[in-house]
Amino acid sequence: MTISATLSKPTKEVCERLGKNYERVRLFFDADKNAFDVEFFTEKQSFQRVMSVEEAQKFIRDNAGTTFKNCTERTQSEIITTLSNKKGRISVLKKPLSPSERLQEMKGNKNLNRAKNYIINEGTPVPFLVALGVMSADGKVLSAKYDKFRQINRFLEFIADVVPELEKSGGKIRIADFGSGKSYLTFAVYHFLHNIRGLDVDITGLDLKADVIKNCASLAEKLGYSDLHFAVGDIAKYEGGALDMVITLHACDTATDFALSYAVEKGARVILSVPCCQHELNAQISKKDADDVFAPLLKYGIIKERFSALCTDALRAEYLERRGYGVQILEFIDIEHTPKNLLIRAVKKSDTASGKKDDDCALLESALRISPSIKKLLG
């Protein structure tokens, strides 16, 4: 079976057949997905997609030596090179791998023969995943949804780590998911805590999109998830009771700050937040006003943007610590899938604020001449 393939040296037919002037295409088999990750390269851009094994094999057959003059394909036992000359004659060269090379190939390819011990495993249908189009009715994860499947399991690992804290509530565990969207993770948290761990939970998903909330509420009712609720609302204006855990995933810009503030106000034992679109500090930070030591970081737009995002999350973590939380900043999913991959996990350690005034937050804010919303909300 093919492990990887690279197609290069495009012919005039490449745009006609594939729709763009791709200069090369790379395919890698991922055993987790039982599918191929495929990357298409133009002169200045790259585009990713997932192909089934059958689609990938057909793509190679259809394009090796025709739309692309060169194709190097690797299997577990050989290297296959397909070449096309100026007259269009196609030749195929096969080089068998020696036993030692085969062994090295197996050791070096992390995507082969790898078994994952997921919290939710493939093979047994899970009703909410089937309903949301992640699984087929027989429990097979659809190739186009495998990244989502891994994301769900990765998030449940973070939840599993904090279950002992949630159990301290002594009663029903109250959870709010702010900016729940299509609610893949909201349903997953309910399934894990209630159906797998057997805990008594009450979960509310909140989002601004009325049609999305309506669909989620309908699905929860259909699945019999009686303690999973959905409501239309703005994080900054939401009013509710005490909470044990607050989840906020990809809440845009300062919406994350309002969610963190709300969680602290309601005494949440656990906060899990994946921030998104941290524009506030990027707009406030000025090369002209900030201390000169930051000049190299503020010179280039993309560096300034990322620096601003990191500053935002670092300050959020510091202000949560000042309010009695133990905070970790962790990688949520591989950065190859999205740059929005940092997760702030905060666990309540003390019911009293630290009382720190002259701290690192003030020093950084003064040096950059910034006033973040998290300071106004939790400072």
Side-chain angles (χ1 to χ4, degrees):
M1 177 181 167
T2 301
I3 296 171
S4 66
T6 300
L7 294 87
S8 59
K9 293 192 176 180
T11 63
K12 294 179 180 179
E13 290 78 18
V14 68
C15 186
E16 180 180 338
R17 182 177 291 187
L18 302 180
K20 283 186 181 293
N21 288 315
Y22 294 118
E23 294 194 338
R24 70 183 188 281
V25 181
R26 296 194 305 190
L27 303 91
F28 293 95
F29 178 69
D30 189 324
D32 283 343
K33 302 177 185 178
N34 192 31
F36 280 81
D37 290 320
V38 185
E39 192 163 14
F40 297 81
F41 296 87
T42 65
E43 183 180 358
K44 295 183 179 180
Q45 294 177 292
S46 66
F47 303 87
Q48 294 80 34
R49 62 168 291 194
V50 175
M51 289 185 183
S52 68
V53 173
E54 294 78 14
E55 288 174 325
Q57 297 286 12
K58 185 177 186 302
F59 182 88
I60 294 169
R61 288 196 306 270
D62 290 348
N63 293 282
T66 53
T67 48
F68 292 90
K69 293 181 179 181
N70 287 6
C71 174
T72 302
E73 184 179 355
R74 300 182 71 90
T75 72
Q76 291 176 285
S77 60
E78 62 185 352
I79 298 174
I80 305 169
T81 303
T82 303
L83 301 170
S84 175
N85 64 20
K86 293 181 180 180
K87 294 182 179 181
R89 172 182 280 183
I90 298 174
S91 57
V92 179
L93 308 174
K94 295 184 179 182
K95 177 189 175 184
L97 298 177
S98 67
S100 61
E101 286 175 324
R102 291 186 189 186
L103 180 62
Q104 189 63 36
E105 182 75 30
M106 291 295 293
K107 288 180 178 180
N109 195 312
K110 65 180 181 180
N111 288 325
L112 291 175
N113 296 328
R114 177 177 59 183
K116 284 287 186 182
N117 185 24
Y118 286 131
I119 290 175
I120 298 177
N121 285 306
E122 186 174 9
T124 301
V126 178
F128 84 89
L129 290 177
V130 174
L132 291 172
V134 177
M135 273 185 175
S136 63
D138 60 357
K140 183 178 180 180
V141 177
L142 304 182
S143 60
K145 292 291 186 179
Y146 218 99
D147 285 343
K148 178 63 68 175
F149 178 70
R150 287 194 290 189
Q151 182 191 62
I152 289 169
N153 275 287
R154 176 62 171 156
F155 190 71
L156 291 182
E157 291 174 8
F158 292 121
I159 298 291
D161 289 342
V162 297
V163 164
E165 293 295 328
L166 297 176
E167 290 176 327
K168 291 179 182 179
S169 67
K172 181 166 284 193
I173 298 169
R174 299 147 300 177
I175 300 170
D177 183 355
F178 292 126
S180 55
K182 293 182 179 179
S183 301
Y184 291 94
L185 297 182
T186 322
F187 281 100
V189 171
Y190 184 91
H191 174 77
F192 172 64
L193 293 177
H194 183 72
N195 296 343
I196 296 179
R197 298 299 294 264
L199 300 176
D200 188 13
V201 298
D202 186 275
I203 302 178
T204 298
L206 184 76
D207 200 271
L208 288 170
K209 298 176 181 177
D211 57 334
V212 173
I213 288 297
K214 181 180 178 180
N215 291 336
C216 292
S218 176
L219 178 56
E221 182 179 3
K222 180 180 178 181
L223 294 171
Y225 290 1
S226 57
D227 289 314
L228 176 57
H229 317 284
F230 293 92
V232 178
D234 186 340
I235 296 173
K237 300 176 182 177
Y238 183 72
E239 294 183 4
L243 291 167
D244 296 293
M245 181 164 68
V246 167
I247 299 168
T248 167
L249 298 175
H250 298 157
C252 192
D253 202 16
T254 57
T256 293
D257 300 306
F258 284 102
L260 297 179
S261 175
Y262 186 87
V264 172
E265 178 188 341
K266 297 300 179 181
R269 294 177 180 273
V270 177
I271 303 169
L272 295 174
S273 175
V274 179
C276 175
C277 307
Q278 298 98 320
H279 298 310
E280 183 185 42
L281 293 195
N282 191 38
Q284 291 185 15
I285 296 174
S286 166
K287 181 180 178 181
K288 178 181 68 175
D289 297 329
D291 285 1
D292 291 343
V293 68
F294 294 106
L297 290 169
L298 306 180
K299 182 177 181 180
Y300 306 99
I302 190 170
I303 300 296
K304 177 176 178 281
E305 181 181 353
R306 294 182 183 179
F307 172 65
S308 301
L310 292 172
C311 284
T312 302
D313 290 338
L315 288 170
R316 286 166 172 162
E318 289 293 313
Y319 278 107
L320 284 170
E321 287 191 347
R322 286 178 54 169
R323 298 299 291 264
Y325 286 84
V327 181
Q328 295 171 292
I329 297 184
L330 307 165
E331 185 178 69
F332 178 29
I333 53 177
D334 292 341
I335 198 167
E336 66 187 84
H337 298 298
T338 174
K340 303 165 186 175
N341 74 325
L342 295 184
L343 180 140
I344 300 172
R345 182 167 68 186
V347 177
K348 191 74 170 175
K349 299 299 183 184
S350 172
D351 291 327
T352 58
S354 67
K356 291 169 63 177
K357 295 299 179 183
D358 287 329
D359 57 10
D360 294 338
C361 294
L363 293 172
L364 182 59
E365 290 159 4
S366 176
L368 290 172
R369 313 296 190 269
I370 56 175
S371 181
S373 290
I374 197 67
K375 174 183 180 180
K376 302 166 191 173
L377 294 166
L378 291 183

